Amino acid sequence: MAKLRTFYIVLFLLIISNYVNAQEFNFKYTKGLSIEIEKQHFKKAMESFNNIDSTTIKVIYKPLKSTGAARPTFFSFFKKPSKRIYKIYLNTKCKPNNLICYTNLSDSSKYGVIGHELSHIIDYNTMSSTQLIGFGFKYIFSKKFKHNTEHKIDSIAIMHGFGEQLYQFTNYIFSSENITERYKFKKEIYYMSPDSILKLHNKHFTGN
Ligand SMILES: [Zn+2]
């Protein structure tokens, strides 16, 4: 039994290590993005989080299967929050029939995506190393856990003032004809709907 558990832990670490390290070297900015504007988006978004200042975050623009993702680097799994390095990946692969790329989003939607990814980091910073490893395991293998996590992350982003932009981004995904049904289905299963985002935003900021 113990051997089996060790096997799964090693397997998990290998998966995570590939997951992260394989992407580390493709540090490219695309022609369609202004780095200065991107820096401004992040600077502005960071102001909404007062407990993220000392966290090291690297932003990497590269082709992805989703719009964005946020993860600790491999060795950061074994470090305390203040010593960790996190990476935020933003999708630059824009296919005409599947426009889930970050590059083509409006500034407002981009801001919503950044708020969501930074909220993941806020969440990671509340976890010890053991909890973070357990989290990674559950996120990969449990659909229900992934659903609960993404809803929690959307809620954190809304509470930090990204509700309207997150609504615009989510609404764009569902209303665009150039986004595959497969991606919309994935979005529907794991993330908050535009209606839920607005409801939570209004409840938190206007009390209605
Ligand atoms: Zn997320």
Side-chain angles (χ1 to χ4, degrees), residues 71-116:
R71 301 180 195 118
T73 59
F74 176 70
F75 290 110
S76 295
F77 276 90
F78 310 99
K79 292 178 181 168
K80 60 182 182 180
S82 60
K83 300 278 179 200
R84 290 177 194 155
I85 297 172
Y86 295 105
K87 288 185 175 179
I88 291 181
Y89 298 96
L90 295 166
N91 184 23
T92 52
K93 190 175 182 181
C94 303
K95 288 199 231 165
N97 59 345
N98 193 19
L99 287 176
I100 56 165
C101 60
Y102 171 85
T103 318
N104 272 16
L105 294 177
S106 67
D107 279 356
S108 184
S109 291
K110 278 183 182 173
Y111 193 65
V113 172
I114 292 170
H116 177 95

Side-chain angles (χ1 to χ4, degrees), residues 181-198:
E181 288 307 313
R182 195 166 167 231
Y183 188 75
K184 286 178 187 171
F185 183 62
K186 196 178 133 190
K187 187 94 182 142
E188 201 176 318
I189 290 180
Y190 296 118
Y191 298 83
M192 261 193 198
S193 68
D195 273 1
S196 307
I197 291 171
L198 265 196

Side-chain angles (χ1 to χ4, degrees), residues 116-117 120 150 153 191:
H116 177 95
E117 301 309 337
H120 270 295
E150 293 302 346
I153 298 305
Y191 298 83

Side-chain angles (χ1 to χ4, degrees), residues 196-208:
S196 307
I197 291 171
L198 265 196
K199 266 186 199 155
L200 186 59
H201 171 79
N202 289 338
K203 195 175 165 195
H204 188 68
F205 290 99
T206 66
N208 293 317

